[in-house]
């Protein structure tokens, strides 16, 4: 894989082959809808990969970049002349020229950095660290503790008896009653009882 030019596509194809082969062998004996989700997620990952590669291979149009740099050079040359004619002295034209020219060139270089976020510079995305994080997660899943299924510490009958005894405990019932009253259920019950008493009185 390391010798091929299209390593991610090769790995993606090999993983698909392994999944299909293990389906035939009965290793992946899970419902087909779940396997469909697996293929969908893998396809989505490859789609994101190709979109990221477009940032690397598809460059910003050179005529547009050259035009922007020429205009910035013109602004850099003309701005001090204009400010010298508008403001008296030397200090204020220097300050205004520096602020304006610095702002324009900063926006230009920021756009150039955002054009390709992949690289080895400090402002680029740290893809090596991202890969190390993914590898650490995969190693965690392959450990024995990650492959052990969670189970109840007691059997189901004991857990059911313990739950029922907790629910029927007087303190638990008092807490439930206070919660219901806090949400207005107690007032609704009182109003219902009053309506029933009024109906009984009218019928008598």
């Amino acid at each position: 894989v390391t010798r091929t030019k299209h390593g991610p596509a090769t790995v993606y194809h090999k993983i698909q082959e392994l999944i299909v082969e293990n389906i035939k062998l009965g290793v992946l004996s899970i419902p087909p809808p779940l396997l469909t989700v697996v293929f969908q997620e893998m396809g989505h990952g490859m789609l994101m990969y190709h979109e990221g590669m477009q940032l690397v291979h598809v460059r910003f149009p050179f005529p547009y970049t050259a035009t922007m740099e020429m205009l910035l050079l013109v602004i850099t040359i003309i701005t001090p002349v204009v400010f010298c004619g508008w403001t008296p002295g030397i200090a204020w034209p220097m300050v205004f020229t520096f602020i304006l020219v610095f702002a324009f060139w900063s926006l230009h270089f920021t756009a150039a950095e955002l054009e390709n976020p992949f690289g080895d510079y400090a402002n680029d995305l740290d893809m090596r660290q991202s890969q190390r994080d993914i590898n650490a997660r995969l190693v965690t899943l392959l450990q024995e503790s990650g492959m052990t299924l969670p189970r109840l510490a007691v059997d189901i009958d004991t857990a059911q008896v313990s739950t029922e005894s907790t629910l029927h405990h007087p303190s638990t019932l008092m807490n439930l009653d206070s919660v219901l009253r806090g949400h207005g259920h107690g007032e609704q019950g009182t109003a219902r009882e009053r309506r029933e008493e009024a109906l009984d009185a009218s019928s008598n």
Side-chain angles (χ1 to χ4, degrees):
V1 176
T2 57
R3 297 179 181 178
T4 60
K5 185 178 180 181
H6 305 285
T10 304
V11 173
Y12 173 70
H13 180 67
K14 294 296 183 182
I15 292 175
Q16 283 186 324
E17 287 183 346
L18 287 174
I19 293 175
V20 174
E21 182 180 359
N22 284 279
I23 291 174
K24 294 179 180 179
L25 296 176
V27 177
L28 298 176
S29 57
I30 59 177
L34 297 180
L35 286 175
T36 303
V37 174
V38 172
F39 284 109
Q40 289 177 353
E41 291 296 327
M42 291 176 58
H44 181 70
M46 285 301 297
L47 178 63
M48 294 295 103
Y49 167 75
H50 288 297
E51 289 184 358
M53 292 302 296
Q54 288 180 0
L55 298 175
V56 179
H57 297 298
V58 181
R59 296 291 182 179
F60 202 72
F62 177 75
Y64 190 90
T65 305
T67 304
M68 290 296 298
E69 291 183 354
M70 290 297 296
L71 291 175
L72 287 173
L73 288 175
V74 171
I75 291 175
T76 305
I77 296 172
I78 295 179
T79 300
V81 178
V82 174
F83 276 117
C84 287
W86 284 355
T87 57
I90 300 176
W92 285 114
M94 292 177 60
V95 172
F96 292 147
T97 300
F98 173 77
I99 293 174
L100 185 62
V101 173
F102 179 78
F104 277 111
W105 280 102
S106 297
L107 292 175
H108 175 68
F109 287 119
T110 302
E113 287 290 331
L114 294 176
E115 180 184 357
N116 185 7
F118 307 107
D120 297 328
Y121 296 102
N123 294 328
D124 295 328
L125 296 176
D126 194 356
M127 302 305 298
R128 291 186 176 87
Q129 183 62 37
S130 300
Q131 186 64 48
R132 285 193 290 267
D133 293 340
I134 294 175
N135 293 339
R137 295 175 186 176
L138 294 176
V139 170
T140 303
L141 293 175
L142 292 176
Q143 292 178 356
E144 185 178 358
S145 59
M147 299 178 66
T148 304
L149 295 177
R151 300 181 183 277
L152 291 175
V154 296
D155 58 313
I156 298 177
D157 296 333
T158 305
Q160 184 177 1
V161 171
S162 177
T163 305
E164 291 178 354
S165 62
T166 303
L167 290 176
H168 290 85
H169 196 271
S171 60
T172 305
L173 294 176
M174 292 176 62
N175 292 332
L176 289 174
D177 184 65
S178 62
V179 171
L180 292 176
R181 289 182 181 276
H183 287 282
H185 293 282
E187 297 178 358
Q188 294 178 1
T190 304
R192 189 182 300 109
E193 292 175 358
R194 290 177 180 176
R195 286 197 300 270
E196 291 177 356
E197 291 176 359
L199 290 175
D200 293 338
S202 61
S203 61
N204 293 329

